[in-house]
Amino acid sequence: MNELSKESVTFLEVGEEGAGQRIDNFLIRHLKGVPKSHVYRILRSGEVRVNSGRVQASHRLAIGDRIRVPPIRLAEREAGDAPAAPLELPVLHEDEHILAVDKPAGLAVHGGSGIAHGVIERLRAARPQAKFLELVHRLDRETSGVLLLAKKRSALTAMHEDLRERAMDKRYLAAVAGRFRDEKR
C-alpha cells in the first residue's frame, strides 16, 4: 500500500486487511488526523473514487480495488499533540490472526474523553510492522482483563459475528473484599 501524500492525488490498493470494509471506515483508518467530517465530504463530493467510479460511504471494498484519494491538507500538529508512546503488555496468546493481552486496570483501550492515546494506539506504535491491528471488544478503563485484538480483517469480522451470535463464551469475575449488607445466597 502506498504512503498517503497530503499534496497530491494518492492511489491505494485494497489488500486482505481492507476486504469487506466500508470505504468510509477504510479512509478514516488510513487518513490519520483527518476529521471524519472531511472524509465524508470528499466521499459525498465524488473526489474519492473506487476503480474510477464514485461510491457512497457504505460501499464495501474488495481485494484489488484501487482507491483514488484527493490531496488532503492537514493542520500542523500542536505542541501537546504528541504521537502515541509504544506500549507492550503481557501477551497471553498470539498467532497470525489474533493477539490476546493482559490489560491492567486504569488504562483506557482507546483515546477520547480527555485521553490522548489508549491501548490500541500505543500497541500500534509498538508494532509498526503490523498491517492491521484492531480491537475485537473493549474493556472499561478501570477493568483489568484479557483484551482481544484482531491482526487480520477476516479475524475481526469473524469474532464480531461470534460476539453477536453469542458463540463466544465471555466470563466476568469480580474479587471483592468485605461483607455485604442483606447478603443473598
Side-chain angles (χ1 to χ4, degrees):
M1 196 174 279
N2 301 338
E3 283 298 310
L4 292 173
S5 168
K6 295 180 265 184
E7 299 155 9
S8 63
V9 171
T10 304
F11 291 91
L12 302 173
E13 186 169 323
V14 177
E16 180 183 332
E17 78 285 349
Q21 190 171 22
R22 287 173 47 132
I23 182 70
D24 56 349
N25 293 330
F26 181 88
L27 291 173
I28 288 165
R29 176 167 161 70
H30 288 285
L31 298 175
K32 301 280 191 222
V34 176
K36 287 182 182 181
S37 60
H38 187 69
V39 170
Y40 285 103
R41 187 186 64 72
I42 62 175
L43 279 165
R44 277 192 312 274
S45 69
E47 294 177 76
V48 171
R49 304 281 177 121
V50 177
N51 301 327
S52 301
R54 293 177 81 146
V55 293
Q56 297 202 1
S58 60
H59 175 81
R60 298 267 176 193
L61 298 169
I63 292 176
D65 279 351
R66 185 171 158 92
I67 302 169
R68 176 198 183 274
V69 180
I72 306 281
R73 291 189 64 189
L74 294 175
E76 293 298 318
R77 280 185 182 246
E78 295 179 21
D81 190 16
L87 172 70
E88 287 293 339
L89 293 175
V91 174
L92 304 173
H93 174 81
E94 183 172 8
D95 62 27
E96 65 188 75
H97 302 286
I98 65 169
L99 172 65
V101 296
D102 184 10
K103 184 194 93 61
L107 192 58
V109 294
H110 53 72
S113 299
I115 306 293
H117 306 290
V119 170
I120 187 64
E121 294 89 2
R122 296 182 65 193
L123 282 174
R124 286 179 186 146
R127 295 168 171 251
Q129 75 286 0
K131 292 181 183 177
F132 187 88
L133 194 60
E134 293 290 337
L135 293 167
V136 172
H137 64 100
R138 296 183 301 255
L139 290 174
D140 289 341
R141 183 177 181 181
E142 295 307 322
T143 301
S144 64
V146 178
L147 185 64
L148 293 177
L149 299 107
K151 295 171 66 178
K152 291 188 173 188
R153 177 128 191 88
S154 57
L156 180 66
T157 56
M159 286 188 278
H160 280 171
E161 178 69 18
D162 285 350
L163 285 167
R164 271 192 304 277
E165 300 298 321
R166 303 207 184 279
M168 190 182 294
D169 185 31
K170 295 189 301 184
R171 295 177 189 218
Y172 296 90
L173 302 174
V176 180
R179 297 185 60 104
F180 288 101
R181 287 191 202 148
D182 302 323
E183 185 176 322
K184 294 181 181 179
R185 293 177 190 221

